[in-house]
Amino acid sequence: MVCKVGKDFFGDNYIRNFKDNGVHTDFVGQTSDAATGAASIIVNNAGENAIVIVAGANMLLGSGELQSALPAVSHAKVLVCQLEISPQTSLRALRMAQENKVKTIFNPAPAIPDLDPDFYRVSDVFCCNESEAELLTGSSVANVEEACRAGQELLKRGCGSVIITLGPQGCVVLKARESSPKHVPTAAVTAVDTTGAGDSFIGALAFYMARDPTMPLEEMARRANEVAGVSVQAVGTQVSYPFKRDLPAELF
């Protein structure tokens, strides 16, 4: 994990949580110049969420910290970036990965309308949800057909591949070298809390890309759908993510 937290109660807890879960923390910095980033989450009776993010210390992550992390980044199998740090820092990290032939997943969340066009070109997998795709393309993305059209627009901008997640409708997968988008459905579940489902999907996707890079992207997406489907059946974000022991053996 490459990030920055505050020298406060939340920052100490974040670092402890990473260590408890076997996450490498050498590149998790602490600063007195800002508080640890936080998110206020509201979930309605249907399990849908609204989130207000205060980025805090993460916005102070810069080129110096990235340079320190270069040895780790350059030897990684997959790098995942998003927009809870400065967009230019994320973009630089993705470029570093690309220069070192490391596969990249970029999740444009929280979405911004003026995304630097270079983000598309340095994304082996550009993965977003329907609302993010809508903001980036300016087109409605409410169903599979609309997601396919939006995905084709994003693909034209230079991505290696595009995945648009659609919650209970599964996701669509588009690849630069293939002409037709593929809809990957998911099993129906009763959602209790959808918060963090996208992160669960991307975490699973990164796992499959790192473990079995020859697996077809649609199959990776199908399995990631299943992992995310488990996460929405429990309350919370990280605490809703299943361990390997909680998942069907065929996913591995």
Side-chain angles (χ1 to χ4, degrees):
M1 177 66 76
V2 183
C3 68
K4 189 164 273 192
V5 297
K7 286 187 176 176
D8 50 34
F9 173 79
F10 290 115
D12 292 342
N13 274 10
Y14 268 105
I15 293 171
R16 180 75 267 153
N17 182 48
F18 288 146
K19 289 179 176 176
D20 288 346
N21 285 284
V23 177
H24 192 281
T25 59
D26 281 11
F27 308 114
V28 178
Q30 279 190 288
T31 178
S32 301
D33 297 330
T36 300
S40 177
I41 303 168
I42 298 169
V43 181
N44 68 15
N45 290 335
E48 297 298 325
N49 66 79
I51 306 174
V52 176
I53 292 174
V54 180
N58 257 333
M59 281 300 165
L60 301 180
L61 189 75
S63 56
E65 288 87 357
L66 282 189
Q67 201 57 40
S68 297
L70 177 58
V73 172
S74 64
H75 288 91
K77 293 181 179 178
V78 178
L79 177 76
V80 179
C81 286
Q82 31 77 327
L83 294 173
E84 286 175 336
I85 61 174
S86 156
Q88 287 310 305
T89 302
S90 257
L91 184 55
R92 176 69 191 118
L94 290 163
R95 285 175 176 149
M96 284 167 53
Q98 192 177 59
E99 288 160 6
N100 286 279
K101 297 181 170 52
V102 175
K103 290 294 183 185
T104 58
I105 300 173
F106 177 59
N107 173 221
I112 53 174
D114 54 342
L115 189 68
D116 189 313
D118 281 352
F119 272 110
Y120 303 104
R121 294 188 277 271
V122 293
S123 298
D124 289 310
V125 180
F126 189 95
C127 185
C128 57
N129 65 19
E130 58 266 68
S131 62
E132 291 151 4
E134 191 167 307
L135 182 67
L136 293 168
T137 64
S139 303
S140 170
V141 183
N143 54 48
V144 171
E145 185 180 346
E146 290 177 351
C148 289
R149 283 199 295 269
Q152 285 168 329
E153 168 57 32
L154 295 172
L155 207 56
K156 287 177 191 172
R157 299 178 187 181
C159 312
S161 56
V162 173
I163 298 177
I164 299 179
T165 58
L166 296 163
Q169 298 180 77
C171 64
V172 296
V173 176
L174 304 93
K175 291 182 276 190
R177 295 177 187 173
E178 295 184 9
S179 56
S180 58
K182 291 185 173 64
H183 174 224
V184 181
T186 191
V189 299
T190 301
V192 174
D193 184 352
T194 59
T195 316
D199 294 331
S200 179
F201 179 96
I202 287 169
L205 181 68
F207 166 79
Y208 292 118
M209 283 178 65
R211 195 195 66 156
D212 190 357
T214 61
M215 184 184 291
L217 188 59
E218 308 89 80
E219 177 59 17
M220 294 185 193
R222 185 193 69 78
R223 296 185 189 200
N225 271 344
E226 194 166 337
V227 175
V230 172
S231 80
V232 303
Q233 296 177 68
V235 174
T237 49
Q238 288 184 37
V239 293
S240 74
Y241 299 159
F243 287 91
K244 182 179 179 180
R245 63 176 179 265
D246 304 318
L247 293 167
E250 58 264 25
L251 288 182
F252 303 96

